[in-house]
Amino acid sequence: MTPHGNRQNNASDERQSLVLSATNLYDSLEEQAPSSDSEMPLLSISCILSTAFAYGCILTTLFLITLPLECQRMYAHSSIALGLFVSLAGLTQLISPVIGRISDTYRPVPDVGQRLPFHIVGSVLTVFGLIGQMFSAAANLWIRYGIAFCFTMVGLNIMYAIMLAILADQILSTQMGVANGILAFQIVTGSLFGFGLFHSVLAEDLQSMYGLYTCIVIIAGILTGLYGNDKDVVLACQRGFHRISADPSEAENGTPQFRADTSPTGISAPRLKHVIKQAKDIVVVTPTQIFASMLVPVYDLNWRSMLQAYTMDVDRHHDFFVVTISRLFYYCGSSVQTFFLYFLRDMIHVKNNPQNVVAQLAILGQFSGALVCYPAGFISDRCWKGRRKPLVYFSCLILTVATLTLISARTVHDMIYVCLVLGIGNGIYLTMETSLAVDTLSRESGNDRAQLLGIWGVAAFVGTALGPMIGGPLLFMISGSNNENDSYDWLAYAVVLGLSAFYFVCSAGALFFLRCREG
């Protein structure tokens, strides 16, 4: 045999050895993670979704208790300051599609997942912002307080957006209803937990609230990381190897990934050596290396790609677009609760401390919603084999009837009954909406889940803002000359509540346009 032939045989043997090493290395990683075909224990799902508990606790109590009191104490025009903070919080939600796009295109270093590094970044930003708010409030530094608030909101939205991406990545469709029941339950119980501690253990001390928020974020970040890390790493490896198999240039230019179930003919031997060397050096991967690799997608961003993060291909993602529109209408309808304080004042004639009555009604509604979240998910998964739309229609029917019934409410007891029913409708809808969104993403092609879920999240912000923008002027214009002492008449409330009920009907009606009828 010629020397040239010997060299070819040696190169072939070396390549086979390298492929075998890469295969064994990948399989050793995969063995550490739960099987992708096995159902995840409820404890693991709850821990991964613990970010929802922190999200519900912070957002609800921050905007209903902490911020109003801080604005009243630090700012001369508290209502204007509060409105500014609410607007800033809404704007920070626009980070979700961008961070989702960066996460979708991220090429992780070995032994680091594709989603969790960004969840850690969100946790750090949130903790940094909360500590900044605490010290700024104590020193009455209102400008620094506003800056710290922006850090908190950006970090919290990043955490929540990445958590939704992890949910879509790791949880089977047969468990999606139950998982989203747990998600909605944790949001609601987080709110109740925050309210309860503020009025009991913390003795209504605002400084202690920031400490509570910080502890919850740290615990949620640790739990999500511990229970989501192994599978996140394996899924990142799978995506990376599939990219290399589809495009051989990825093997030379991208971060290496590997898998044995596809022929690795597009990967050069030198690159495989680099793969194995990196993987064997996992123990010395530093936070600096991880952070530097996370910045690569950021370097590639430009104005055009950032704007594209807020768009979707409607033909390709038709069903997901329909679900997003349904969500937009739902939040337009539920935003009528913004006017409950005025309704109590003008129609129920609650003159003494109506704010406390609104808070009590909110807690009752959240409690009734928490009771139905898990059962709704269980029924959808186990009894109806993953069907979501019937429960969405049922929840929208409950919300429509309860909102129209509210027009005739005349006592606080009437409001209590209506709010309990509204809570049930909201609990069912919040469980099913996320399930529908993830289901439609799973049926459609593409590795852009996090970015699309970010757009889906922004739909809630748009709906929450659009509802009061339409309802507020309607209250004023319909009341007309009867608008004395900043009060509104029955007809104005009837029109606004009727419009809210119409939004709920539109939310249900939008789902008739789903191409997949099994939802």
Side-chain angles (χ1 to χ4, degrees):
M1 181 176 291
T2 64
H4 179 69
N6 288 333
R7 284 197 300 270
Q8 284 184 330
N9 289 335
N10 291 337
S12 177
D13 292 341
E14 181 185 11
R15 179 172 181 76
Q16 290 178 359
S17 176
L18 287 170
V19 171
L20 181 61
S21 299
T23 299
N24 293 335
L25 189 59
Y26 180 88
D27 289 339
S28 66
L29 276 175
E30 194 170 29
E31 287 174 1
Q32 298 173 15
S35 170
S36 58
D37 297 326
S38 61
E39 290 193 347
M40 188 178 293
L42 293 182
L43 175 62
S44 298
I45 295 176
S46 300
C47 290
I48 289 175
L49 301 181
S50 60
T51 296
F53 184 91
Y55 190 81
C57 177
I58 294 175
L59 280 193
T60 306
T61 57
L62 186 66
F63 287 105
L64 290 181
I65 297 175
T66 309
L67 267 182
L69 293 176
E70 292 286 31
C71 289
Q72 185 176 342
R73 185 177 62 84
M74 288 196 295
Y75 300 92
H77 303 285
S78 58
S79 61
I80 296 176
L82 183 58
L84 178 61
F85 278 116
V86 172
S87 301
L88 286 174
L91 289 174
T92 59
Q93 289 191 3
L94 298 177
I95 191 66
S96 298
V98 175
I99 202 67
R101 187 180 183 88
I102 294 173
S103 171
D104 288 332
T105 57
Y106 173 51
R107 306 292 192 264
V109 298
D111 208 27
V112 174
Q114 187 168 0
R115 309 294 188 191
L116 283 172
F118 296 93
H119 191 275
I120 294 171
V121 170
S123 303
V124 172
L125 286 175
T126 306
V127 170
F128 178 78
L130 288 170
I131 294 175
Q133 283 182 264
M134 179 172 62
F135 285 104
S136 299
N140 288 323
L141 301 172
W142 59 273
I143 294 180
R144 293 184 184 179
Y145 185 88
I147 295 173
F149 172 80
C150 290
F151 275 100
T152 300
M153 290 295 102
V154 168
L156 199 60
N157 282 306
I158 290 175
M159 289 180 67
Y160 193 74
I162 296 301
M163 182 203 68
L164 289 178
I166 296 173
L167 171 71
D169 287 345
Q170 299 193 15
I171 297 176
L172 299 177
S173 59
T174 55
Q175 286 186 289
M176 195 55 65
V178 169
N180 285 294
I182 294 173
L183 172 70
F185 178 79
Q186 293 211 50
I187 291 177
V188 175
T189 52
S191 302
L192 296 175
F193 180 78
F195 280 121
L197 257 65
F198 177 74
H199 291 292
S200 57
V201 177
L202 302 183
E204 302 187 1
D205 179 43
L206 289 181
Q207 290 295 104
S208 300
M209 287 297 285
Y210 296 113
L212 172 67
Y213 296 154
T214 303
C215 291
I216 291 177
V217 168
I218 293 173
I219 293 172
I222 292 173
L223 289 175
T224 300
L226 284 177
Y227 285 84
N229 178 69
D230 289 343
K231 202 167 183 179
D232 191 34
V233 171
V234 172
L235 290 171
C237 291
Q238 290 176 341
R239 293 190 190 100
F241 190 85
H242 292 157
R243 281 195 299 269
I244 294 174
S245 301
D247 183 6
S249 64
E250 285 277 354
E252 300 300 328
N253 302 320
T255 299
Q257 306 290 353
F258 31 85
R259 181 58 180 157
D261 53 8
T262 307
S263 176
T265 55
I267 309 176
S268 65
R271 194 57 178 171
L272 274 175
K273 286 182 179 180
H274 184 58
V275 170
I276 296 171
K277 180 180 183 303
Q278 278 193 312
K280 287 180 177 178
D281 292 340
I282 282 174
V283 293
V284 297
V285 172
T286 65
T288 304
Q289 290 174 297
I290 298 172
F291 185 70
S293 69
M294 292 172 63
L295 288 180
V296 173
V298 180
Y299 295 149
D300 294 337
L301 281 181
N302 52 45
W303 285 109
R304 184 174 181 179
S305 62
M306 287 185 66
L307 290 176
Q308 287 177 344
Y310 298 96
T311 63
M312 75 171 73
D313 187 334
V314 177
D315 291 331
R316 181 181 173 190
H317 300 291
H318 174 270
D319 283 359
F320 181 78
F321 175 75
V322 169
V323 171
T324 303
I325 295 299
S326 174
R327 188 178 209 233
L328 174 68
F329 278 120
Y330 165 78
Y331 278 94
C332 283
S334 62
S335 65
V336 74
Q337 298 173 17
T338 305
F339 305 112
F340 272 15
L341 180 65
Y342 303 150
F343 188 84
L344 284 170
R345 180 194 64 194
D346 300 334
M347 296 292 104
I348 311 299
H349 305 295
V350 177
K351 303 300 182 182
N352 296 325
N353 206 356
Q355 294 90 337
N356 275 352
V357 178
V358 170
Q360 292 168 9
L361 292 175
I363 292 173
L364 288 173
Q366 290 170 348
F367 180 76
S368 64
L371 294 178
V372 300
C373 290
Y374 184 83
F378 183 85
I379 291 171
S380 176
D381 281 345
R382 305 300 182 186
C383 303
W384 290 354
K385 305 301 180 182
R387 298 184 67 198
R388 321 293 186 194
K389 287 193 293 185
L391 282 171
V392 175
Y393 296 149
F394 179 61
S395 66
C396 288
L397 175 64
I398 292 176
L399 293 168
T400 301
V401 173
T403 303
L404 292 176
T405 304
L406 195 59
I407 299 174
S408 60
R410 289 295 177 270
T411 66
V412 173
H413 285 91
D414 293 340
M415 291 287 292
I416 290 174
Y417 298 138
V418 172
C419 286
L420 286 172
V421 176
L422 283 172
I424 293 172
N426 285 323
I428 297 174
Y429 186 92
L430 291 174
T431 301
M432 291 298 103
E433 64 158 357
T434 313
S435 300
L436 268 176
V438 175
D439 286 348
T440 52
L441 279 182
S442 300
R443 290 195 294 263
E444 297 162 350
S445 61
N447 186 31
D448 47 7
R449 288 183 174 184
Q451 181 239 331
L452 292 174
L453 285 171
I455 296 176
W456 177 79
V458 171
F461 159 61
V462 174
T464 303
L466 195 60
M469 285 176 61
I470 297 174
L474 277 177
L475 278 177
F476 180 81
M477 289 187 294
I478 296 174
S479 295
S481 58
N482 296 325
N483 183 20
E484 299 176 357
N485 299 323
D486 198 27
S487 62
Y488 308 105
D489 57 27
W490 178 85
L491 179 61
Y493 286 111
V495 170
V496 170
L497 291 171
L499 183 61
S500 175
F502 174 72
Y503 290 142
F504 290 130
V505 172
C506 291
S507 179
L511 298 185
F512 282 101
F513 294 94
L514 287 175
R515 290 173 180 168
C516 181
R517 299 297 175 185
E518 288 78 19

